[in-house]
Amino acid sequence: MNYLAHAYLSFDNEQLLVGNLIGDFVKGRKQLENYPISIQEGIILHRHIDAYSDNHFVLKQSVERLRQAQQRYAPVVVDIFYDYFLATNWSVFSEQSLDDFAAVIYTHLERNFEVMPERVREIFKKMISHNWLVGYQYEARIEYAFQRLAERVKNEHHLLTAIDDLRQQKEALNSDFLLFFPDLIQSAKAKITEFQY
């Protein structure tokens, strides 16, 4: 899952959101313990979401659809595609507009910049200034995301043709997503019930 899904799966809890969105940048228990408990819970939720997703049979099916074209990067491509499908199916999962949702998320992030490492803060400043969360619904923005990712990848890849894979397999991948995401929502909500408030 990518930023939009992690934001959605924080269910409008500001501290969970912050932890959930910085989760990829916090490694191991020692780094986890540097944060307030409410943000730690968001990081733990992030890890749960990733582990659940990676082991779900539908997401694995999507990865296999892209395996030949994207090889080792197929799981990364699926993560980004699934945010695209969440954005394009937004009204299925939320009564709030995507624009309004994104504005709330950006406000929550800005209020919590002081707890984030500088590198993470800079990433989220770019997210806000370029409105990444709303941009996920546009193929052109997805294509740009793959172009930026390709610049950072040193190994052989086919990320620059990922947008073609999206166009060719959109119907099947969208069906996968719509089957998968309700399961993930249920699993994330169950995980949150384990936390103490």
Side-chain angles (χ1 to χ4, degrees):
M1 294 294 97
N2 218 298
Y3 289 120
L4 182 60
H6 280 288
Y8 177 91
L9 294 166
S10 300
F11 305 109
D12 202 32
N13 180 310
E14 184 170 336
Q15 298 300 297
L16 275 182
L17 169 80
V18 173
N20 204 342
L21 290 187
I22 69 172
D24 277 335
F25 306 97
V26 180
K27 307 301 181 188
R29 175 161 289 282
K30 191 167 186 179
Q31 287 189 15
L32 176 70
E33 291 172 350
N34 290 333
Y35 293 93
I37 187 66
S38 55
I39 292 180
Q40 287 185 36
E41 288 171 343
I43 296 166
I44 292 166
L45 176 61
H46 177 104
R47 293 173 180 176
H48 170 81
I49 289 166
D50 283 357
Y52 179 87
S53 299
D54 289 346
N55 288 292
H56 196 285
F57 75 98
V58 175
L59 191 138
K60 288 181 176 180
Q61 177 175 280
S62 292
V63 169
E64 287 309 309
R65 293 186 196 282
L66 299 171
R67 182 71 69 189
Q68 184 173 357
Q70 293 300 326
Q71 300 169 7
R72 68 191 295 179
Y73 292 103
V76 176
V77 172
V78 169
D79 278 352
I80 295 172
F81 283 178
Y82 272 24
D83 262 14
Y84 167 79
F85 291 120
L86 176 54
T88 56
N89 290 289
W90 186 257
S91 63
V92 174
F93 299 102
S94 179
E95 295 180 0
Q96 185 180 32
S97 74
L98 181 54
D99 289 277
D100 289 348
F101 173 83
V104 171
I105 298 305
Y106 299 153
T107 298
H108 288 338
L109 289 174
E110 288 174 331
R111 272 204 295 258
N112 289 276
F113 274 166
E114 73 280 357
V115 303
M116 301 178 192
E118 180 64 27
R119 173 174 168 246
V120 178
R121 193 179 310 149
E122 291 307 311
I123 290 170
F124 290 140
K125 285 179 180 177
K126 288 179 184 176
M127 173 190 286
I128 294 165
S129 64
H130 296 288
N131 201 5
W132 288 359
L133 298 181
V134 172
Y136 277 117
Q137 66 189 304
Y138 303 113
E139 286 186 17
R141 295 288 290 276
I142 297 295
E143 185 171 21
Y144 179 71
F146 284 120
Q147 289 168 356
R148 294 298 304 274
L149 182 59
E151 292 170 5
R152 301 197 306 269
V153 170
K154 294 182 172 61
N155 298 314
E156 183 181 352
H157 64 82
H158 303 283
L159 294 168
L160 296 177
T161 62
I163 195 67
D164 299 323
D165 299 324
L166 174 63
R167 291 168 180 150
Q168 290 165 11
Q169 301 204 55
K170 187 181 291 186
E171 185 175 342
L173 290 166
N174 186 57
S175 295
D176 287 352
F177 173 78
L178 291 172
L179 186 61
F180 162 78
F181 200 62
D183 286 355
L184 181 58
I185 291 171
Q186 185 176 14
S187 180
K189 285 181 175 178
K191 185 64 179 178
I192 290 168
T193 64
E194 298 176 9
F195 301 145
Q196 302 298 314
Y197 293 104

